[in-house]
Amino acid sequence: MTDANVAKRAAAYAAADLVEDGMTIGLGSGSTFLFVLERLSERIREEGLAVRGAPTSTATAEAATAKGIPLVSLDEVTRLDMAIDGADEVDPDKHLIKGGGAAHTRERLVAATADELIVIVGEDKMVHVLGEVFRLPVEVLPFGWTHARRRIEATDCTTQLRKRDGAPLVTDNGNWILDCAYDGIREPAALAEILDATVGVVDHGLFVNMAGRIVVANDDGDVRVVC
Ligand code: 5RP
């Protein structure tokens, strides 16, 4: 296993061990989150853990089903006990960039329904300022997308349409992703407010004041929790 995967697994396992019998939880997306499914499946087999999960993507729904984890849709529940999810960057105020896997719109809906969003990351994702390295993913409607792009670029970034196999990547919601390069996002709340109000933007990957505990692991597998 690579060092990065050691860290991902350690953080994911520590978070999966916070899940209590009978809980209904939000299931995040991404490579780190897959280790949560691995650990939950182990706990179901070994402890008879009763857990149900609301998935944030079709990829997660498929992976959870393959691991024997019962699913619920978000509309079947009024609340979730917790959501567990990865992130692309975490700043000292626990604001996040998400959306590397293009699932941030559903991830926000699931996180907002949960009593707590528990974030799982390797140390490499802990940054001083968001957006100095990672580009902010923004989901846009394909209809009139060049106008959304122009409005987004007015927030001082350059954008790139995310592609797969030469064609625009299509999200689970049928939309496209613009990856937005900023020279650091020093006021994430202000930028989030502008993007929230931008016509043509479906949702963006800035998660401001949404995270609860951050479970961080290093490449040796040591885990710390930022509350
Ligand atoms: C998907 C996400 C992921 O949680 C984020 O990209 C982290 O992914 P990974 O664990 O593969 O690094 O926000 O939209």
Side-chain angles (χ1 to χ4, degrees), residues 8 29-33 85-88 97-104 107 125 134:
K8 287 178 184 185
S29 294
S31 58
T32 312
F33 185 76
D85 206 348
D88 300 298
I97 286 184
K98 288 186 51 54
H104 54 277
E107 289 171 339
K125 293 184 173 176
F134 202 83

Side-chain angles (χ1 to χ4, degrees), residues 5-135:
N5 276 347
V6 169
K8 287 178 184 185
R9 185 170 71 171
Y13 272 42
D17 284 344
L18 297 172
V19 175
E20 294 171 16
D21 200 46
M23 279 188 168
T24 303
I25 68 170
L27 305 176
S29 294
S31 58
T32 312
F33 185 76
L34 288 179
F35 288 110
V36 172
L37 296 179
E38 186 176 279
R39 178 64 183 142
L40 288 178
S41 158
E42 197 172 271
R43 291 190 61 198
I44 290 170
R45 277 197 318 276
E46 291 174 2
E47 302 165 28
L49 178 78
V51 62
R52 300 183 307 162
T56 52
S57 61
T58 52
T60 290
E62 285 167 15
T65 301
K67 293 269 180 208
I69 296 158
L71 298 183
V72 284
S73 80
L74 198 55
D75 292 315
E76 289 175 79
V77 298
T78 50
R79 56 172 279 281
L80 297 165
D81 294 292
M82 64 169 68
I84 304 176
D85 206 348
D88 300 298
E89 288 187 340
V90 181
D91 81 3
D93 295 319
K94 300 196 296 181
H95 303 323
L96 317 173
I97 286 184
K98 288 186 51 54
H104 54 277
T105 298
R106 293 189 187 194
E107 289 171 339
R108 188 191 303 280
L109 287 164
V110 168
T113 311
D115 291 353
E116 181 182 7
L117 169 61
I118 296 179
V119 177
I120 47 175
V121 285
E123 285 285 358
D124 56 312
K125 293 184 173 176
M126 303 299 285
V127 301
H128 290 295
V129 176
L130 296 176
E132 282 185 332
V133 176
F134 202 83
R135 289 176 299 167

